[in-house]
Amino acid sequence: MTTNDYSTQISEADMRLTPAAQAKFTEILKEADAEAAGIRVFVSGGGCGGMTYGMTYADAAADKAFDSVLEGQGFKIFVDPIALNFLQGCEVDFKNSNFVFNNVFKAVGGSGTCGGCGGGGF
């Protein structure tokens, strides 16, 4: 597979962001250093609690040749293909000072919460 064979756009079928999540991503990026090109969503290995979902700043438009991007008003979300596979069909929301991943890849389990950033502290 070459980079030309791989879709680099994240569709709503892949991952949907609620208006609250979109607003929080925009707010976070406005407060970020100039080097932050967006936010990377990642998935870490599971365990008895299932997969762990997290976020960090992305310092380049595409850290990897196969990253997919979800771009909105004031934000960009970067996801590598393996993480996107585990996020397939999820909805990212922002509730009670936390990002919440709803409908995450059910075959591997997962709590559906992101505690890595504390709602904007990254």
Side-chain angles (χ1 to χ4, degrees):
M1 177 186 291
T2 67
T3 55
N4 293 337
D5 297 332
Y6 182 75
S7 174
T8 58
Q9 296 298 310
I10 297 174
S11 71
E12 277 210 18
D14 295 325
M15 183 170 67
R16 189 177 87 70
L17 306 179
T18 65
Q22 291 179 38
K24 190 63 178 180
F25 283 132
T26 300
E27 177 186 327
I28 289 169
L29 285 169
K30 279 184 184 177
E31 297 171 359
D33 292 336
E35 295 86 34
I39 296 170
R40 175 168 301 284
V41 175
F42 61 89
V43 177
S44 299
C48 60
M51 303 303 286
T52 301
Y53 304 88
M55 299 178 202
T56 188
Y57 289 111
D59 60 1
D63 289 344
K64 299 177 185 174
F66 292 106
D67 277 351
S68 292
V69 180
L70 176 60
E71 192 167 357
Q73 188 69 24
F75 67 87
K76 282 186 184 180
I77 306 297
F78 299 95
V79 184
D80 71 65
I82 294 170
L84 190 58
N85 186 50
F86 286 104
L87 292 164
Q88 196 71 39
C90 80
E91 174 191 73
V92 180
D93 197 2
F94 187 77
K95 294 182 185 178
N96 303 320
S97 301
N98 287 300
F99 285 100
V100 178
F101 291 76
N102 297 313
N103 303 322
V104 291
F105 195 68
K106 293 178 182 158
V108 295
S111 65
T113 62
C114 170
C117 66
F122 271 52

